[in-house]
Amino acid sequence: MGCPHCHHSQVFRRKLGRCRRCILQLILLSTLSWCAWFYYYLPTPTQVESITLLFAASAFSLLLLAHGVAALARKRSPRPSPSR
């Protein structure tokens, strides 16, 4: 990833909800994978390809949801005052 938050932060919790590029990529991947599943595999949900795409779409959506929850929690939490 080219994001400075993703490169320099080692804690997974600190990465969630900060990287706009990651969130935009997840929006795109989630939308494309769900659209592909509905278009190609909705009539045959028991095929291996359908199940695989369903797992991928679910993973993208859950990670996007985690980013959204973390961003909202970070936005609602009070910021510490700068110490001198």
Side-chain angles (χ1 to χ4, degrees):
M1 287 283 168
C3 174
H5 292 294
C6 292
H7 264 317
H8 299 297
S9 178
Q10 298 300 320
V11 180
F12 183 71
R13 193 172 9 150
R14 290 184 186 172
K15 293 180 186 179
L16 280 177
R18 289 185 183 219
C19 180
R20 183 176 173 91
R21 181 179 179 184
C22 296
I23 292 171
L24 291 175
Q25 286 176 353
L26 283 172
I27 290 170
L28 179 69
L29 288 171
S30 180
T31 304
L32 288 177
S33 58
W34 280 114
C35 289
W37 187 83
F38 279 115
Y39 185 75
Y40 291 113
Y41 297 111
L42 185 62
T44 57
T46 57
Q47 286 184 343
V48 173
E49 296 88 359
S50 173
I51 295 169
T52 304
L53 188 57
L54 192 61
F55 277 127
S58 298
F60 291 141
S61 297
L62 286 174
L63 188 55
L64 181 61
L65 179 67
H67 272 282
V69 168
L72 284 174
R74 186 171 285 117
K75 193 173 193 179
R76 293 183 58 102
S77 68
R79 294 181 185 225
S81 61
S83 59
R84 292 184 172 189

